[in-house]
Amino acid sequence: MGKTVKDSLSSDGLFTMLLVVITGFVGVAPLAVLPAWVGGMMDHLGLSEQQAGVIASANLFGSAIGMLIVAGLLKHFSLLRLAIMGVGLEVVADLASLFFDAALQLGCLRFAAGIGGGVVTATAISWIAQQPNPERGYGLFMMLQFGVGALILAVLPHFMAVNGVNVIYLVFIAFAFLSLVLSPALKCSLKRKIHQGNDNDGIEVAAEKIKLLPVGLSFVAVGLFEAANAGVWAYIERVGLAIPLPRDTLGMILAIASLVGIPGALAVVWLGIRRGRFLPIAAGLSCGMLSLLLLLGVDDLLLYMVAIMALSASWSFTLPYLQGIQAQLDPQGRIAVLGYFVVMVGVALGPALYGGVVGSGDYSNAMWLGVLLLVGCLIAIAPVAIATDQVSDRKQAESPTEQLPRVVTKSRHRLKKLLTGI
């Protein structure tokens, strides 16, 4: 008796985490509907591929800036207050976007909307990073992104055929108001206790000093990963049209592909870190590379479907583990927020990078670019993932950042020994 709503939510970790994830969804909603949005701007506003890609990138860059702002304000404002301010900016910019269709004005408005949405998402990311099992929170985030994205991608073409691209901005406004309603969940806490040195139960100890090498490598890895996936995702509809496939068929295929991302995210929620982080990351990246190779010169419906479903599953499965590494490097959540800033920078750069190598319906160069980016991601994250895997969750006498130099040195000695034997 006498339990408040806040107390009830705090005692139910998964439900509270789900509410926070839904609150933060507004900032990644543009990414969830990216293929339909880019195509809609081209079809209904008469914009070129490059213009549509730049406008989408402006929105995503704005999200990145919003997350960077939150990283600097976490000590001065509560997560709830930051989320409310972000929702306000998002709604104002979305409403204004309904009345402009010129590329320059629309790009500026989408940049502002991105800042607002990014602020809201960053509050959710920071909250998740401070909880036990942050991979599960990030997995739920990916489930929502792909699940809601699938639903929207399935129905949007019908509404856009009648009402144009403005339908998408109305969807963004709806998500912003949903974030406002659920944002009080950010006041709840399931904080883990970080024990270092003295085992003082119930006392939360300040996070260790953060070292630049592992953090920098994790930023590089997640940026390359998101640039690779977002770039392909932005133009995946155009790849299908080049086969050629009917637009209505493409809408359903993209929706199904997004749904396939849900089992990938569910696998993270179920598996956690029982197999560490390096093996799941390596498996996910390998699946992503294979999907891009399948898209090289694709001219078959079945092969196209298999490739984009594999891409969706690998995306939703791998990213939570990359973010989980950042959460372990800094349990206070600062690195996780900055990491999501890098995520959104990668997402924003992706469409622009791919737009620069796409030529007259030929997307093979874009696929090779994606493969190279994923290879770079694996190279960057491998030593950090191996180091975090060697840290016991029950006994953290030594941090993963302190273990990283030894892991790298040991690997170098093993490689030298192997080469000497050859």
Side-chain angles (χ1 to χ4, degrees):
M1 293 181 62
K3 286 182 73 175
T4 65
V5 174
K6 180 179 177 180
D7 292 333
S8 299
L9 288 175
S10 296
S11 65
D12 188 351
L14 190 61
F15 179 66
T16 308
M17 195 167 279
L18 179 60
L19 294 182
V20 172
V21 165
I22 297 173
T23 299
F25 179 73
V26 64
V28 297
L31 179 59
V33 300
L34 195 57
W37 186 23
V38 170
M41 287 189 288
M42 294 169 61
D43 294 335
H44 296 279
L45 301 182
L47 301 178
S48 66
E49 287 184 343
Q50 287 74 22
Q51 287 175 320
V54 168
I55 291 173
S57 292
N59 197 131
L60 299 170
F61 265 124
S63 296
I65 298 300
M67 293 174 186
L68 191 61
I69 290 172
V70 170
L73 295 180
L74 278 174
K75 292 184 178 180
H76 306 288
F77 294 93
S78 69
L79 294 178
L80 179 58
R81 182 175 295 184
L82 288 169
I84 292 173
M85 291 189 291
V87 167
L89 179 57
E90 170 80 29
V91 170
V92 170
D94 285 337
L95 286 172
S97 298
L98 298 172
F99 303 99
F100 292 89
D101 55 12
L104 179 59
Q105 293 94 325
L106 193 56
C108 293
L109 288 171
R110 296 322 305 163
F111 179 75
I115 292 176
V119 166
V120 182
T121 299
T123 61
I125 294 300
S126 177
W127 187 93
I128 292 171
Q130 298 175 49
Q131 313 311 317
N133 303 312
E135 283 88 1
R136 292 194 167 116
Y138 299 134
L140 288 172
F141 218 108
M142 296 303 290
M143 281 176 55
L144 188 68
Q145 177 180 326
F146 282 94
V148 175
L151 177 63
I152 296 175
L153 289 172
V155 301
L156 262 183
H158 304 289
F159 288 99
M160 289 176 62
V162 177
N163 301 297
V165 75
N166 280 351
V167 172
I168 292 182
Y169 305 133
L170 295 176
V171 170
F172 294 162
I173 292 171
F175 282 128
F177 280 113
L178 182 61
S179 296
L180 184 63
V181 171
L182 299 181
S183 59
L186 292 166
K187 296 171 67 176
C188 304
S189 179
L190 315 169
K191 278 189 178 179
R192 54 189 169 186
K193 306 303 181 199
I194 308 164
H195 297 290
Q196 295 174 345
N198 296 330
D199 188 16
N200 300 320
D201 289 339
I203 300 177
E204 188 174 275
V205 184
E208 62 194 83
K209 290 184 178 180
I210 299 169
K211 295 188 177 180
L212 294 180
L213 177 59
V215 171
L217 288 173
S218 72
F219 284 171
V220 170
V222 79
L224 294 175
F225 178 78
E226 286 298 291
N229 286 282
V232 175
W233 190 240
Y235 291 98
I236 201 68
E237 182 192 46
R238 297 288 145 175
V239 175
L241 289 174
I243 289 179
L245 295 174
R247 190 176 296 277
D248 290 342
T249 302
L250 275 174
M252 289 306 300
I253 292 174
L254 291 174
I256 294 171
S258 289
L259 286 175
V260 171
I262 296 177
L266 273 174
V268 179
V269 178
W270 170 76
L271 181 62
I273 55 172
R274 290 200 297 271
R275 296 292 182 269
R277 294 185 176 96
F278 175 69
L279 288 179
I281 288 172
L285 290 174
S286 298
C287 181
M289 293 177 210
L290 178 61
S291 68
L292 294 179
L293 292 174
L294 289 175
L295 286 171
L296 283 170
V298 62
D299 58 0
D300 178 74
L301 171 61
L302 180 60
L303 192 61
Y304 176 77
M305 289 183 62
V306 170
I308 63 174
M309 287 178 185
L311 179 69
S312 177
S314 70
W315 194 354
S316 63
F317 180 76
T318 309
L319 182 59
Y321 284 105
L322 294 173
Q323 294 173 312
I325 287 175
Q326 293 172 342
Q328 185 166 342
L329 291 173
D330 174 28
Q332 290 186 340
R334 297 164 296 178
I335 296 304
V337 173
L338 288 173
Y340 221 87
F341 160 75
V342 177
V343 165
M344 297 311 296
V345 169
V347 165
L349 284 174
L353 287 174
Y354 279 67
V357 298
V358 169
S360 302
D362 181 11
Y363 296 91
S364 57
N365 288 338
M367 300 308 140
W368 281 117
L369 173 61
V371 171
L372 289 176
L373 292 174
L374 293 181
V375 169
C377 171
L378 181 58
I379 293 172
I381 202 61
V384 189
I386 293 171
T388 57
D389 284 350
Q390 293 184 353
V391 178
S392 169
D393 289 339
R394 293 186 300 272
K395 184 179 180 181
Q396 297 189 8
E398 188 178 25
S399 72
T401 57
E402 293 170 329
Q403 289 201 8
L404 178 61
R406 189 168 66 255
V407 171
V408 175
T409 301
K410 189 182 295 183
S411 300
R412 189 167 61 243
H413 287 329
R414 288 175 179 171
L415 178 61
K416 184 177 179 180
K417 185 177 181 180
L418 177 63
L419 293 175
T420 302
I422 294 173

